[in-house]
Amino acid sequence: MSKDTSPRPAKPKQTSVDVSEAQIAVHWPEEDYVSPPSPFIAQANLADPGIFQRFALDKFPESYKEFADLLDWYKYWDTTFDASNPPFWRWFVGGRINACHNCVDRHLARHKNKTAIHFVPEPESEAVQHLTYQELFVRVNEFAALLREHCGLKAGDRVTLHMPMVAELPLTMLACARLGVIHSQVFSGFSGKACADRIVDSESRLLITMDAYHRAGKLLDHKEKADTAALEAANAGHAVEKVLIWQRYPGKHSSPTPLVQGRDLVVNDLLPKFRGQRVEPVPMPAEAPLFLMYTSGTTGKPKGCQHSIGGYLAYVTWTSKNIQDIHPEDVYWCMADIGWITGHSYIVYGPLALAASSVVYEGVPNHPDAGRPWRIAEALDVNIFHTSPTAIRALRRDGPDEPAKYHYRFKHMTTVGEPIEPAVWKWYYNMVGKGQAVIVDTWWQTENGGFLCSTVPALHKMKPGSAGPGIPGIHPVIYDDEGKELAMGSGKAGNICIRNPWPGAFQTIWKDPDRYVRQYYKRYCRDPKSRDWRDWPYFAGDGAVQAADGYYRILGRIDDVINVAGHRLGTKEIESAALLVADVVEAAVVPVADEIKGKVPDLYVALKPGLAPSAAIGDKISASVVSEIGAIARPRRVIIVPDMPKTRSGKIMRRVLAAISNRQDPGDVSTLANPEVVEKIKSLAG
Ligand code: PRX
């Protein structure tokens, strides 16, 4: 926009969505309130109702000083909020800070012998590792020394991590943060190819990985993916110079894939050289990037959301303290993966900034049985638990009575990532929480850094199936398609936006500022020339309704993104992977409601003329999706159709396909160019 001077890529074709998650959202009636338990309120960090006044819109932006004051600063900032170049907001300008210092060093005086990370291996026979703050400090320093001395990394460099859920992952992130190096962690379940795309986009010279890890009872070869990633990056013209490999079992190579001489370095072999070394944390500008987190968008490849050091850390620390209610003596378990934003904010940075003990669990929740999480909770005395509706549904299905068998006591529980059905919420509350834990349903996104909507646990009543109002400092609004504001509490569905900027919001899309503006701010911008933040509401891409009490209910994505088990997948990414199979001429992905995962993708394909449909072709297409993106994107079904339902102008009618997959009425199809194909597709998809 007016102040953006960076080079502009050619304008990509705007895609239109003719079916969205929000349209096939699960609807349920409004539920009755549930009050937070009084023992929770008595100990809560935030129980002062004056908070809403302090964070009223007219107190913006200085109200956010309270967030940043939770951190240690080398140099205090001069300007809390700089809006001179909308929507490229800058927070705590002039401040100098280091995220690693705030998560590790500053706790040593009072908490050095306290556990920072409980690492729980998936095999139950393996001992839990308890890493104290002092041990974390020592190991982060040694690894930071290795990165600096051996690999020549310096502030501003990007490094891609493709690591599983092990203690070495937060350790690696913190070592990067100590040096001012920007980390880009890729979910370990993603394929080598998906990792390569992120390496290339972020121009990482270094890939940090692990040889193997346990998942669902198997020791997976993970090193293999690093070779694919390096090869694919090279094919795209980008050289990965070094691959750093942590050993899952120090001293032993646990992968059948051999090392590549001259490129691969085994971290555990090199570390002894750096024993006892100390690396001073680099005082970084508050607005320097801390990390990139790639996420799916409406078009093309995933985009790198760039998060700042000062604003992001302030935001996750405040929300961890006041919405998660973390006290230093708490044992906190967020059963997400650090490869997603939830793990960055609420396994690593938020809890560690508050000197809590954070649990890192390697494996799947219901392995070897659905009692596993509750055994872990009992053994480690976990009192704050955080997970997704998908995990809750699976644990409820596989072991509805398991929680009662274990003696743990949660004071607080979180649900995040998808809408939660009231029946599932109630099982979570009654069985998992034993009726004693408060629940927060937190709505937010990769782009946001931390929670946007949630009840404040000691101040609001809970309402099953509703996220809640904006958290203190966040002022949501719902617009209709024409840009008209829906009245507060109208109960009508529209597009949820946030009126004001906040410190946790991403700064831009890595190397694509134009897309950042276009995708998140253009839609409801009142005046592109305005430097007033009030003219630039943030457009989230979710449908929502607000009830009369101010609570928001999130309906789902209104764009080409499907939320599968709480993870975002671009329909375009899956379709492109299908089109790589030479037999395929057209592909269309639609979201289908799923009892456990919320939504899953159905993939419709049309083959080249003359090719007969076969199970083998379907398998090949499915395999292409898995190797391009990862197993998480595997379509529920590949349905080979004789032709796609199309408008007269040749546009694929995904709405019709979605209706068929969701066993809904496809409506009037007589205006299609080929209405007769609908019945054929119905019988194939039946
Ligand atoms: O559709 C919303 C859904 O997840 C999307 C964001 O996904 P991601 O960036 O991967 O981040 C997930 C975890 C922060 C949103 O656009 N979503 C997230 N939380 C909720 C939700 N839908 C309903 N209720 C929630 N609590």
Side-chain angles (χ1 to χ4, degrees):
M1 311 256 57
S2 57
K3 298 283 288 180
D4 170 18
T5 52
S6 44
R8 270 139 219 272
K11 208 175 167 158
K13 206 172 98 233
Q14 287 285 340
T15 51
S16 64
V17 189
D18 58 2
V19 63
S20 67
E21 284 203 343
Q23 283 169 314
I24 55 167
V26 194
H27 290 275
W28 44 75
E30 290 275 323
E31 289 280 322
D32 289 338
Y33 293 115
V34 179
S35 296
S38 41
F40 175 82
I41 299 173
Q43 59 80 65
N45 280 326
L46 177 52
D48 168 16
I51 186 80
F52 301 108
Q53 206 39 51
R54 289 213 305 284
F55 282 90
L57 208 50
D58 61 357
K59 305 287 190 318
F60 179 91
E62 290 308 320
S63 44
Y64 277 116
K65 185 174 176 298
E66 179 176 325
F67 283 48
D69 279 339
L70 292 174
L71 304 176
D72 278 7
W73 294 83
Y74 296 110
K75 181 174 172 290
Y76 212 60
W77 63 91
D78 320 305
T79 310
T80 305
F81 176 65
D82 170 11
S84 60
N85 183 18
F88 298 91
W89 320 117
R90 299 163 77 212
W91 285 93
F92 311 122
V93 183
R96 293 243 162 208
I97 188 165
N98 186 281
C100 180
H101 166 84
N102 274 283
C103 292
V104 184
D105 305 39
R106 70 164 172 162
H107 304 317
L108 297 183
R110 287 173 57 202
H111 302 293
K112 70 188 250 184
N113 294 321
K114 177 176 191 285
T115 299
I117 294 167
H118 294 283
F119 168 58
V120 183
E122 191 188 74
E124 271 189 293
S125 53
E126 245 176 70
V128 175
Q129 296 170 25
H130 311 278
L131 208 65
T132 64
Y133 274 96
Q134 174 68 17
E135 284 163 339
L136 185 61
F137 171 76
V138 169
R139 292 188 61 188
V140 164
N141 270 279
E142 291 174 353
F143 189 56
L146 187 158
L147 291 177
R148 191 178 65 182
E149 312 303 328
H150 201 87
C151 305
L153 285 187
K154 53 178 192 326
D157 289 347
R158 278 84 54 209
V159 170
T160 298
L161 281 47
H162 195 199
M163 295 187 60
M165 282 292 288
V166 289
E168 287 80 356
L169 173 51
L171 194 157
T172 301
M173 290 161 65
L174 291 165
C176 289
R178 196 166 188 85
L179 299 171
V181 167
I182 304 167
H183 57 74
S184 167
Q185 154 71 6
V186 179
F187 170 55
S188 60
F190 276 146
S191 66
K193 172 68 171 60
C195 182
D197 293 342
R198 289 150 176 83
I199 291 174
V200 173
D201 189 71
S202 62
E203 295 166 291
S204 301
R205 289 182 297 114
L206 203 77
L207 170 64
I208 308 182
T209 187
M210 183 167 257
D211 53 3
Y213 65 98
H214 293 277
R215 185 142 187 101
K218 289 199 207 107
L219 184 65
L220 302 183
D221 177 6
H222 193 55
K223 153 68 164 104
E224 174 191 47
K225 287 187 175 174
D227 288 2
T228 308
L231 185 73
E232 293 280 355
N235 289 343
H238 176 85
V240 174
E241 290 166 20
K242 295 276 175 253
V243 177
L244 257 60
I245 303 161
W246 285 96
Q247 290 172 323
R248 173 64 178 79
Y249 296 97
K252 183 174 150 200
H253 187 58
S254 298
S255 152
T257 309
L259 299 179
V260 174
Q261 290 307 318
R263 186 200 70 185
D264 293 354
L265 300 170
V266 175
V267 177
N268 303 78
D269 290 347
L270 292 171
L271 272 174
K273 273 206 239 162
F274 300 91
R275 194 175 162 157
Q277 287 211 16
R278 295 288 181 266
V279 173
E280 276 306 304
V282 179
M284 296 294 292
E287 310 142 77
L290 177 61
F291 65 85
L292 303 179
M293 170 63 67
Y294 283 82
T295 191
S296 297
T298 48
T299 50
K301 294 244 155 75
K303 48 191 191 255
C305 294
Q306 177 184 315
H307 283 283
S308 71
I309 303 176
Y312 170 83
L313 196 64
Y315 199 74
V316 300
T317 306
W318 193 94
T319 49
S320 292
K321 178 167 180 185
N322 295 308
I323 306 296
Q324 298 286 276
D325 198 56
I326 297 179
H327 301 57
E329 59 273 21
D330 288 327
V331 181
Y332 167 88
W333 183 12
C334 172
M335 200 173 65
D337 194 291
I338 298 174
W340 309 109
I341 191 72
T342 301
H344 273 51
S345 301
Y346 298 114
I347 298 178
V348 181
Y349 286 112
L352 296 183
L354 293 169
S357 301
S358 188
V359 177
V360 172
Y361 172 53
E362 180 176 31
V364 290
N366 47 7
H367 183 82
D369 57 70
R372 185 73 199 276
W374 325 128
R375 286 197 288 284
I376 294 171
E378 181 182 87
L380 297 178
D381 207 16
V382 172
N383 66 340
I384 307 182
F385 184 67
H386 184 157
T387 194
S388 65
T390 290
I392 302 168
R393 291 183 207 112
L395 290 165
R396 176 176 179 244
R397 176 196 59 194
D398 296 346
D401 304 318
E402 285 299 305
K405 299 182 187 161
Y406 300 96
H407 299 285
Y408 62 84
R409 191 180 177 283
F410 295 154
K411 68 166 182 177
H412 182 294
M413 304 193 300
T414 301
T415 158
V416 63
E418 318 149 59
I420 183 166
E421 302 80 352
V424 178
W425 190 100
K426 285 174 192 165
W427 181 79
Y428 196 36
Y429 181 76
N430 291 318
M431 293 305 293
V432 178
K434 305 181 181 189
Q436 296 173 328
V438 74
I439 295 182
V440 289
D441 179 346
T442 59
W443 170 73
W444 60 295
Q445 313 169 298
T446 305
E447 294 85 342
N448 311 148
F451 308 142
L452 293 181
C453 284
S454 167
T455 48
V456 175
L459 292 174
H460 289 122
K461 289 184 174 159
M462 303 168 256
K463 191 162 66 173
S466 291
I471 68 160
I474 296 295
H475 300 275
V477 53
I478 298 182
Y479 290 110
D480 68 13
D481 282 339
E482 278 70 53
K484 206 164 94 282
E485 199 173 313
L486 296 186
M488 288 286 285
S490 72
K492 292 205 187 97
N495 301 326
I496 188 165
C497 295
I498 309 297
R499 291 182 197 276
N500 59 294
W502 65 99
F506 70 143
Q507 303 174 291
T508 187
I509 295 174
W510 182 256
K511 295 203 299 198
D512 202 350
D514 221 38
R515 186 173 172 190
Y516 164 81
V517 178
R518 195 172 57 242
Q519 198 160 323
Y520 300 97
Y521 291 97
K522 203 170 165 185
R523 172 115 188 223
Y524 292 115
C525 178
R526 274 181 281 275
D527 172 10
K529 295 209 167 57
S530 168
R531 291 191 183 180
D532 185 342
W533 56 265
R534 291 169 192 82
D535 291 328
W536 294 86
Y538 168 81
F539 170 68
D542 275 334
V545 284
Q546 190 190 28
D549 57 10
Y551 285 35
Y552 289 93
R553 200 149 9 135
I554 308 299
L555 301 174
R557 303 290 310 183
I558 54 170
D559 55 12
D560 292 341
V561 170
I562 307 186
N563 188 345
V564 177
H567 304 315
R568 267 161 71 169
L569 296 171
T571 52
K572 292 280 173 285
E573 285 167 68
I574 303 176
E575 289 167 7
S576 313
L579 287 163
L580 289 177
V581 176
D583 308 336
V584 177
V585 279
E586 281 178 317
V589 167
V590 294
V592 190
D594 180 86
E595 222 176 279
I596 299 294
K597 294 181 173 177
K599 299 284 185 314
V600 288
D602 257 5
L603 171 55
Y604 287 84
V605 292
L607 303 181
K608 280 191 179 144
L611 284 179
S614 69
I617 296 182
D619 291 347
K620 200 156 60 166
I621 297 167
S622 200
S624 176
V625 173
V626 173
S627 82
E628 284 294 302
I629 306 170
I632 166 180
R634 193 193 309 274
R636 177 183 75 142
R637 295 188 301 173
V638 177
I639 304 139
I640 303 176
V641 297
D643 193 9
M644 295 285 182
K646 286 194 186 131
T647 60
R648 288 182 205 277
S649 61
K651 188 168 162 313
I652 299 177
M653 287 299 282
R654 288 180 176 73
R655 180 179 58 75
V656 171
L657 300 173
I660 294 172
S661 277
N662 287 287
R663 301 182 183 285
Q664 291 165 350
D665 177 8
D668 180 12
V669 295
S670 60
T671 56
L672 294 184
N674 52 354
E676 70 289 347
V677 84
V678 174
E679 282 309 314
K680 286 190 206 150
I681 296 176
K682 263 192 190 165
S683 64
L684 287 165

